Amino acid sequence: MARLVALFALCLLCASLATATFVGNPFLVKGKTYCDTCRCGFETPATKYLAGSKVRVQCRHRKSNKITYTADGVTNSQGEYNILVNRDCGDDVCDVVLVESADKKCGTPNAGRDRARVVLTRNNGMISDVRYANNMGFLSNEPLSACTQILQQYQLTEDQY
């Protein structure tokens, strides 16, 4: 009987250590925000990366669509953000979303490039705690004058975008 109790205690100890290990290892969500200075829907050589822009990790319950978790971040001088997520979000659907641009001349979120899906669970085979989100962009109020020449590199003209 004493062996059975000791085995049970050992199992509980292992389970509590596994939980304690998880709490000490948050996810790190990394990405960049930019200003689409040519208003073409993608990054170009004229793209400007935005410092001081606000972004948010937002997780929603898959069935009810209720928000289950949020964490905010601000971009550095290179337009990069690092947001710590201190929990496993399981089956929730998690996105990084644009909140606010620091540049008033480039403040409209680009539809389709205004959010990036991230997987924030440990039950998916990924080893690293770092999650990389796709770059997200705001649209410039006015395209730069050099954009026509830049877009010719892609064989695009103003009529096609």
Side-chain angles (χ1 to χ4, degrees):
M1 183 67 166
R3 285 184 180 174
L4 185 61
V5 171
L7 181 63
F8 182 71
L10 184 62
C11 288
L12 282 176
L13 179 63
C14 289
S16 65
L17 284 175
T19 302
T21 300
F22 169 69
V23 171
N25 292 325
F27 292 105
L28 178 63
V29 178
K30 300 176 75 117
K32 286 179 115 177
T33 65
Y34 65 89
C35 178
D36 182 353
T37 55
C38 289
R39 298 184 56 88
C40 58
F42 53 87
E43 294 168 85
T44 67
T47 294
K48 179 175 99 176
Y49 294 93
L50 296 172
S53 294
K54 296 177 185 173
V55 295
R56 176 174 293 144
V57 172
Q58 191 171 63
C59 298
R60 294 179 177 274
H61 188 269
R62 190 173 294 279
K63 292 182 181 178
S64 70
N65 207 32
K66 282 185 145 182
I67 295 174
T68 59
Y69 183 85
T70 62
D72 292 335
V74 178
T75 58
N76 65 17
S77 61
Q78 285 81 40
E80 302 166 335
Y81 59 85
N82 294 296
I83 302 174
L84 286 177
V85 175
N86 60 11
R87 65 171 261 206
D88 188 309
C89 294
D91 287 338
D92 291 350
V93 176
C94 300
D95 293 309
V96 184
V97 295
L98 294 175
V99 175
E100 182 181 358
S101 173
D103 184 346
K104 300 304 176 202
K105 294 180 181 178
C106 191
T108 305
N110 185 0
R113 299 294 304 261
D114 58 345
R115 64 185 49 242
R117 180 81 22 107
V118 289
V119 176
L120 296 174
T121 184
R122 299 202 187 303
N123 298 326
N124 61 11
M126 290 185 212
I127 296 171
S128 175
D129 294 330
V130 179
R131 301 296 191 259
Y132 295 94
N134 289 335
N135 292 352
M136 299 180 297
F138 292 95
L139 294 172
S140 175
N141 295 346
E142 295 291 326
L144 297 175
S145 59
C147 288
T148 303
Q149 184 178 6
I150 290 169
L151 294 176
Q152 285 175 351
Q153 296 173 13
Y154 300 101
Q155 297 182 342
L156 296 175
T157 63
E158 287 184 25
D159 297 333
Q160 294 174 307
Y161 70 95

